[in-house]
Amino acid sequence: MSEKVRVAMISGWHVHAKGYANYLAANPNCEIVAVWDEMPARGIEWANDLKCKFYESYEELLANDEIDAVAISSPTSMHAQLMIAAANAKKHIFTEKVLALTNKDAKAIRRAVKKNKIHFTISFPHKTDKAVLLAKEIVDDKKLGTLTYMRVRNVHSGSISNWLPAHFYDKEQCGGGAMIDLGAHPMYLINWFLGMPKYVSSAFTNVTDRPVEDNAVCLL
């Protein structure tokens, strides 16, 4: 393996894709060496910006032994096929959340990762926030006694101000709207602090007439 981790960017679909590329490019221990995209025109443009090779074939990219890892920002509906193939090719994986659209696909990804003994990271950025880490330390040290209630609100103006791309409202690609996108963060935080819930009740509403919900409230 090279002294640097050689990373391929997989799809520019997600709004955070270019941000992840910027973080990787700024890391002295990483080098972006390739791009693949399910939309070739977008991928070619991105590869030109990153000054690296564009692969039209995902299989050809995975067959390159000089690529150590993939950073996946594809439609969520493609996660399982892309990650399982990457794991089987012994490529380490960083992926945007959520992991998959079904439990079956999530478990299949897990099996592939464990079988091939690769490094795997999913983007749960709030678990790296200094304020959240301090709160977790306080809770774990029992400085608040036994925690019995937790509320997390995660919002932005994407639907009202129309700055999210249209494909973020495509149920087939995303699996849902506000809940699966923004709601994922409160879900993993509450699970981290309080453990697995016994019951979940959810209400999804739509204010802006999108194909998916633009507001969600869940009680665990």
Side-chain angles (χ1 to χ4, degrees):
M1 181 184 288
S2 165
E3 291 183 2
K4 292 186 176 183
V5 178
R6 297 161 299 191
V7 182
M9 305 305 301
I10 307 302
S11 179
W13 178 88
H14 201 279
V15 292
H16 294 321
K18 290 187 176 180
Y20 292 140
N22 290 339
Y23 284 126
L24 288 167
N27 188 324
N29 297 312
C30 293
E31 180 183 4
I32 298 175
V33 296
V35 168
W36 174 88
D37 200 302
E38 71 277 9
M39 294 181 62
R42 181 175 64 195
I44 291 168
E45 181 179 357
W46 197 17
N48 288 337
D49 290 342
L50 294 172
K51 296 179 173 56
C52 65
K53 181 176 179 178
F54 172 75
Y55 283 80
E56 189 168 347
S57 166
Y58 187 57
E59 291 74 17
E60 182 184 352
L61 182 152
L62 293 180
N64 187 342
D65 291 335
E66 295 185 355
I67 295 173
D68 304 310
V70 294
I72 296 175
S73 300
S74 72
T76 308
S77 57
M78 298 181 68
H79 276 192
Q81 68 187 78
L82 293 174
M83 280 187 251
I84 291 170
N88 289 335
K90 309 294 185 183
K91 308 301 184 188
H92 305 299
I93 296 171
F94 169 86
T95 181
E96 176 59 87
K97 54 82 185 151
V98 295
L99 180 60
L101 297 184
T102 66
N103 285 335
K104 180 180 178 181
D105 281 349
K107 289 176 179 178
I109 293 168
R110 182 177 186 271
R111 286 195 298 271
V113 167
K114 291 178 71 68
K115 174 185 175 183
N116 290 287
K117 297 180 173 61
I118 60 164
H119 295 294
F120 176 89
T121 300
I122 189 168
S123 182
F124 286 172
H126 292 269
K127 291 181 76 172
T128 67
D129 183 271
K130 290 182 179 179
V132 174
L133 290 172
L134 176 59
K136 184 70 165 63
E137 181 181 332
I138 291 170
V139 169
D140 287 348
D141 290 343
K142 301 291 185 180
K143 292 180 180 178
L144 297 177
T146 300
L147 194 65
T148 61
Y149 176 78
M150 180 175 176
R151 180 176 183 267
V152 184
R153 182 172 183 258
N154 190 31
V155 301
H156 62 52
S157 65
S159 294
I160 294 173
S161 301
N162 293 316
W163 54 261
L164 277 178
H167 59 248
F168 258 55
Y169 305 99
D170 185 319
K171 189 174 182 179
E172 296 300 316
Q173 294 185 69
C174 300
M179 182 61 235
I180 204 166
D181 182 33
L182 291 179
H185 298 295
M187 283 292 182
Y188 66 69
L189 286 180
I190 292 173
N191 172 246
W192 195 35
F193 276 76
L194 292 177
M196 288 295 289
K198 293 182 179 180
Y199 307 102
V200 179
S201 176
S202 302
F204 295 174
T205 58
N206 193 308
V207 178
T208 60
D209 288 330
R210 309 284 183 175
V212 294
E213 83 282 355
D214 51 31
N215 183 65
V217 178
C218 295
L219 178 65
L220 284 65

